[in-house]
Amino acid sequence: MEPLKPASLTLRKTPPISTREFAELRRFIYDLVGIDIPERRKYLLENRLGPRILQLGLRNYSEYLMMLHHGPDKNTELKYFFTKITTNETSFFRDTKQLDVFETHVLKNVLQECEAAGNKSLHIWSAGCSSGEEPYTLGIMLHEILRMSIIGWKIQITANDLSPDMIAKAQAGLYGEYALRTTPKDVVDRYFIKETQGYKIHPKVQKLVSLGLINLNDKLAVKRVPKSHIIFCRNVIIYFDDAVKQKLISNFYDNLLPGGYLVLGHSETIHKLSRVFQPLIKPGGIVYRKST
Amino acid sequence: MNRVCTEHLTPGMILAKKVIGPDKGVVLEPGAAMTQEHIEALRTLGVSAVFVRFPAHMEPQREIERQVQEHVRNFFIFVDPDHEAFVELYRIAVQRSLKAFRDGWIIPCEEVLHAKNVEHLSDLFFKDAGEPGDIVRHEVGLASFPDIYFKIREVLDNPKSSAQDVARVVNTDVGFSAKLLKLVNSPFFGFSTTIDSVARAVSLVGVKEISTLALGISTINYFQNIPPELMDMRTFWRHSLRCAVFAKLLAAKKNLPSDRFFTAGLLHDVGRLVIFKNMPYASVEALLYARSDMVPLVEAETAVLGYNHTDVSKLLLEAWKFPAVLIDIIAHHHAPEIAHAREEAGIIQFADIMANVAEISAGGLFALPGMAQEDWKLLGLMPRELTLLINLHDEHFEEITSVLL
């Protein structure tokens, strides 16, 4: 058995991306999904996409771009492409403090207002739902607040993500220990079914959630989302530049019903981007409200 | 029987121990050759590693090499794969990791590399509501910086200061002067005779050099109360010390005042401590982002906070009135092209990268930041010299650590 020869070790495994190809790909991604890949991430992009190019038997990134633009399977490939340029790290009941703020100061109020107005229907939009942890957490929260009276409500949580992989995972609703690491044990017992393959979200929660793909940079797609009482968009806007963020925030504003709420990730604020929302600053998090 | 992380499994490997699911049912029975579907199922289940046997056609040695390469390669995802320095560093890292493996190191699974939860922490400012300046003002306002630091600085600020003045100040703190003497007497500092007094150390090393070294040492003691869930202080300072060792070695090669570089290396990430301390929650976001996207931590800081640790270091060290040359090279170690002393900042940049490489098989967590070709060229190093550098580091690092930490 010969020892490993250091000289045979190389970092380069895939075709190099040329300056022109990088510029074109950068433009393509920005126009499509509004994410700007700065120059310093060139090699990261190369590392993420390179193996796919080899797998498809292509010679370079120009050919790959051609395929994304004009290929017969371009829609299928685009879905794959999206999973390569986005990433996701979430868990159930992540950021519990922010969720507490949300439950106490937002969700309970909204439910009361709906009930007082004699309209027991609620729409929450989880924009950027990753593998489903967030919308299911919201579904569990609603069950916990409303208990048996939930049957009298018409509730829909629309959950969207750019990555088809993530939506497929959310649809399966099957999670490992890691995703449940911040979930209280009694909640796991009541809302998950232990299976050999993992913890499966209970159908009574799953039926509240309607999953689908979305490109938040696509104004028409965003317009098709039903009007919401609450929008959750956590840890998504960090991927966008200010111009796209602004566009997105204004689309969210249009989607919200009067008095509706926008909830962003813990370290995200929009005060530099938009003044149309009224921020409610609570210990543990900020939520934004559209005027009534 | 080998323990293999789920992400390194390949179809054909034979499961050696059964895998049990949450309902106590058997997910996979031992003895079966695994398929791609089995592997995916283990991933969904969140199983981080399983015990396997290799089938006859898989040579165990080659298989370990493949896993080690895969693991090490992850750390190089952000850098130019044609950059001669990084190619060499990759080779070095693979060799070191293989050696570590033979000595009992376990290739960490992806899951282990995930950051912990810090649900109980809260930030001083919401993002956008706090600029680096606000955090630094808050930090400096709190400061009960060691008295000795200010006394040293007075000496340093006075052009008429003599070796005796420095010695007198340092000697007022017994523990501190002992540390300083141990440090300059270590083989790494390479003096042929024993230095038995601070006065002698000052005359040999120089007023400026000893004083900046003293500033660096007194800073280590300052930062406490960093939430341990984020990063334990020992890990942080070990990285800083590695960087200090490499910075001194690189500076000495170029005949630059190497003790100053030791201090710059020691303090190169000091701004990160201030961020951890004041923005723990946002720091977690950055740590998680860096891990899940496999980007360098500095890149994740910029994405999550809108600024990074070098912005904070600059303001902090200015507020503490550190020597301007030190601030320049520390504040620009991720962007030497905008430093006044580009080459010097490049030394710290490369020392930081080397420190990260040394850590790959010793608990390292984050992807290596890149380095521009121009800055590498300015160092005037040949790739083949890097092995020697890392060997010198290995020779001296533990000893320096035992003196200072």
Side-chain angles (χ1 to χ4, degrees):
Chain A
M1 176 89 218
E2 278 184 47
L4 187 71
K5 289 207 180 65
S8 68
L9 290 173
T10 53
L11 272 175
R12 161 87 45 224
K13 292 272 192 238
T14 55
I17 189 166
S18 72
T19 311
R20 192 179 55 83
E21 284 172 331
F22 176 70
E24 283 174 4
L25 207 52
R26 181 180 184 173
R27 180 89 240 162
F28 178 75
I29 295 171
Y30 186 78
D31 288 347
L32 198 63
V33 293
I35 297 172
D36 184 38
I37 313 273
E39 180 75 30
R40 59 180 191 279
R41 292 196 177 200
K42 185 172 119 177
Y43 302 111
L44 187 67
L45 189 71
E46 197 182 271
N47 272 310
R48 289 254 177 85
L49 296 176
R52 182 64 177 169
I53 287 179
L54 293 184
Q55 202 182 10
L56 292 167
L58 302 175
R59 279 172 306 179
N60 52 43
Y61 291 82
S62 300
E63 290 186 354
Y64 188 54
L65 255 176
M66 190 81 89
M67 181 178 171
L68 289 172
H69 273 297
H70 312 292
D73 297 328
K74 68 172 184 183
N75 288 331
T76 320
E77 188 54 32
L78 269 177
K79 287 182 184 169
Y80 183 85
F81 180 71
F82 287 156
T83 67
K84 285 288 147 192
I85 57 171
T86 55
T87 35
N88 305 278
E89 144 68 46
T90 63
S91 68
F92 285 91
F93 287 90
R94 179 147 149 65
D95 201 344
T96 46
K97 224 181 305 184
Q98 191 192 19
L99 287 172
D100 285 348
V101 170
F102 169 74
E103 185 176 340
T104 322
H105 298 282
V106 177
L107 192 55
K108 286 182 179 164
N109 281 351
V110 171
L111 290 170
Q112 270 166 14
E113 281 167 21
C114 287
E115 200 159 7
N119 179 16
K120 285 171 42 167
S121 80
L122 175 73
H123 183 248
I124 301 179
W125 181 19
S126 166
C129 67
S130 201
S131 39
E133 288 89 336
E134 177 179 281
Y136 292 144
T137 299
L138 295 173
I140 293 171
M141 204 182 263
L142 284 163
H143 270 282
E144 288 285 287
I145 297 174
L146 296 170
R147 302 274 159 174
M148 291 306 285
S149 68
I150 199 164
I151 7 175
W153 282 80
K154 184 177 169 289
I155 293 173
Q156 189 186 330
I157 301 168
T158 300
N160 299 131
D161 202 87
L162 179 64
S163 159
D165 273 14
M166 290 297 139
I167 293 298
K169 273 193 195 162
Q171 249 143 10
L174 197 59
Y175 301 91
E177 301 267 357
Y178 190 75
L180 292 163
R181 68 197 182 280
T182 45
T183 314
K185 199 189 161 296
D186 61 310
V187 172
V188 176
D189 289 344
R190 272 178 289 145
Y191 296 100
F192 292 85
I193 302 160
K194 285 180 192 170
E195 291 185 359
T196 306
Q197 301 295 329
Y199 296 81
K200 175 116 178 145
I201 187 78
H202 197 285
K204 70 181 176 191
V205 177
Q206 197 161 24
K207 74 169 192 208
L208 301 177
V209 177
S210 129
L211 293 154
L213 289 168
I214 203 167
N215 175 358
L216 290 173
N217 197 39
D218 177 350
K219 192 166 175 133
L220 287 176
V222 171
K223 272 216 156 88
R224 282 194 293 271
V225 177
K227 296 276 181 199
S228 313
H229 295 89
I230 297 157
I231 299 175
F232 260 73
C233 185
R234 298 194 298 169
N235 306 313
V236 173
I237 62 172
I238 62 164
Y239 293 100
F240 301 114
D241 66 8
D242 284 356
V244 178
K245 272 182 198 164
Q246 231 145 16
K247 201 165 75 176
L248 203 59
I249 300 294
S250 112
N251 289 345
F252 285 159
Y253 188 85
D254 293 342
N255 173 277
L256 280 173
L257 293 161
Y261 294 89
L262 172 64
V263 183
L264 299 170
H266 184 279
S267 32
E268 300 171 312
T269 62
I270 54 168
H271 87 230
K272 279 185 189 158
L273 298 165
S274 167
R275 303 274 171 190
V276 293
F277 284 98
Q278 181 198 347
L280 301 176
I281 301 172
K282 305 282 176 194
I286 310 179
V287 286
Y288 295 89
R289 186 163 199 199
K290 179 172 172 169
S291 53
T292 44
Chain B
M1 193 164 71
N2 295 272
R3 183 183 170 279
V4 176
C5 306
T6 317
E7 67 270 18
H8 295 310
L9 290 173
T10 52
M13 287 181 180
I14 299 154
L15 198 67
K17 282 187 185 172
K18 67 180 167 190
V19 179
I20 305 282
D23 67 349
K24 312 285 179 231
V26 178
V27 182
L28 277 177
E29 290 283 1
M34 277 188 286
T35 62
Q36 193 58 44
E37 288 73 49
H38 292 148
I39 297 170
E40 305 268 321
L42 291 175
R43 277 188 195 144
T44 313
L45 197 56
V47 173
S48 62
V50 291
F51 287 92
V52 298
R53 279 181 289 114
F54 298 135
H57 67 272
M58 266 185 210
E59 292 177 53
Q61 174 65 19
R62 286 277 177 267
E63 187 45 40
I64 297 303
E65 285 171 7
R66 183 188 66 81
Q67 288 175 31
V68 164
Q69 285 180 53
E70 232 172 59
H71 177 71
V72 172
R73 183 171 271 280
N74 268 331
F75 290 83
F76 288 78
I77 194 163
F78 202 74
V79 305
D80 178 357
D82 299 320
H83 194 303
E84 58 175 10
F86 285 107
V87 174
E88 185 63 19
L89 289 173
Y90 173 64
R91 288 174 186 154
I92 290 172
V94 169
Q95 296 299 319
R96 283 171 71 84
S97 302
L98 281 171
K99 186 181 174 303
F101 185 86
R102 284 193 294 272
D103 297 342
W105 172 65
I106 296 166
I107 307 174
C109 302
E110 252 171 35
E111 196 198 87
V112 180
L113 298 175
H114 278 289
K116 294 196 181 90
N117 278 292
V118 279
E119 296 295 342
H120 57 287
L121 303 173
S122 57
D123 292 346
L124 181 62
F125 301 104
F126 287 110
K127 191 197 167 189
D128 292 358
E131 300 287 332
D134 300 318
I135 318 183
V136 169
R137 260 189 302 282
H138 179 80
E139 186 60 46
V140 173
L142 285 178
S144 50
F145 212 70
D147 194 32
I148 190 146
Y149 170 84
F150 294 101
K151 291 187 192 152
I152 296 165
R153 218 184 63 206
E154 264 172 40
V155 175
L156 199 57
D157 285 345
N158 185 350
K160 289 196 196 117
S161 293
S162 65
Q164 274 70 35
D165 294 326
V166 180
R168 194 168 34 77
V169 168
V170 170
N171 280 327
T172 57
D173 185 327
V174 181
F176 182 75
S177 60
K179 249 186 196 178
L180 191 64
L181 281 178
K182 263 197 212 160
L183 187 66
V184 291
N185 274 307
S186 69
F188 183 59
F189 278 73
F191 291 104
S192 47
T193 55
T194 307
I195 302 167
D196 51 9
S197 71
V198 176
R200 176 105 181 98
V202 178
S203 64
L204 274 172
V205 183
V207 172
K208 267 217 158 79
E209 296 301 316
I210 280 292
S211 309
T212 44
L213 211 49
L215 291 186
I217 297 171
S218 57
T219 307
I220 298 184
N221 298 327
Y222 170 67
F223 283 98
Q224 283 150 11
N225 311 322
I226 304 291
E229 298 87 340
L230 281 173
M231 188 177 278
D232 78 273
M233 276 305 87
R234 212 176 147 72
T235 307
F236 178 89
W237 286 113
R238 277 174 72 87
H239 170 74
S240 300
L241 272 177
R242 285 184 204 279
C243 181
V245 167
F246 282 120
K248 182 167 158 66
L249 290 169
L250 289 163
K253 267 186 82 69
K254 300 187 73 78
N255 293 319
L256 290 164
S258 65
D259 298 319
R260 179 189 304 165
F261 283 84
F262 184 85
T263 307
L266 192 59
L267 300 182
H268 77 291
D269 278 345
V270 71
R272 186 164 283 152
L273 292 176
V274 180
I275 297 179
F276 281 168
K277 216 170 144 179
N278 295 286
M279 308 288 282
Y281 210 104
S283 299
V284 173
E285 298 287 333
L287 290 163
L288 287 174
Y289 178 53
R291 282 299 318 157
S292 64
D293 274 39
M294 209 60 200
V295 296
L297 195 45
V298 56
E299 180 75 9
E301 286 169 350
T302 306
V304 172
L305 294 160
Y307 53 86
N308 68 50
H309 64 281
T310 62
D311 301 315
V312 177
S313 297
K314 180 170 185 288
L315 296 173
L316 179 77
L317 297 177
E318 278 170 5
W320 282 349
K321 303 205 165 48
F322 258 63
V325 277
L326 271 181
I327 298 178
D328 181 44
I329 58 180
I330 290 172
H332 299 112
H333 78 272
H334 285 300
E337 71 279 7
I338 53 169
H340 288 293
R342 179 170 188 171
E343 189 183 330
E344 282 86 342
I347 287 178
I348 303 301
Q349 180 178 37
F350 195 62
D352 178 33
I353 290 168
M354 296 275 300
N356 277 300
V357 168
E359 278 154 11
I360 290 176
S361 53
L365 289 175
F366 303 104
L368 303 184
M371 181 176 200
Q373 291 286 356
E374 296 86 330
D375 292 308
W376 162 247
K377 291 274 181 299
L378 279 176
L379 292 182
L381 282 170
M382 301 296 287
R384 60 182 148 76
E385 294 174 277
L386 300 182
T387 303
L388 176 65
L389 274 175
I390 211 151
N391 289 344
L392 283 170
H393 154 275
D394 291 350
E395 203 176 301
H396 296 289
F397 172 64
E398 290 303 338
E399 184 204 351
I400 300 285
T401 307
S402 70
V403 174
L404 290 182
L405 293 188

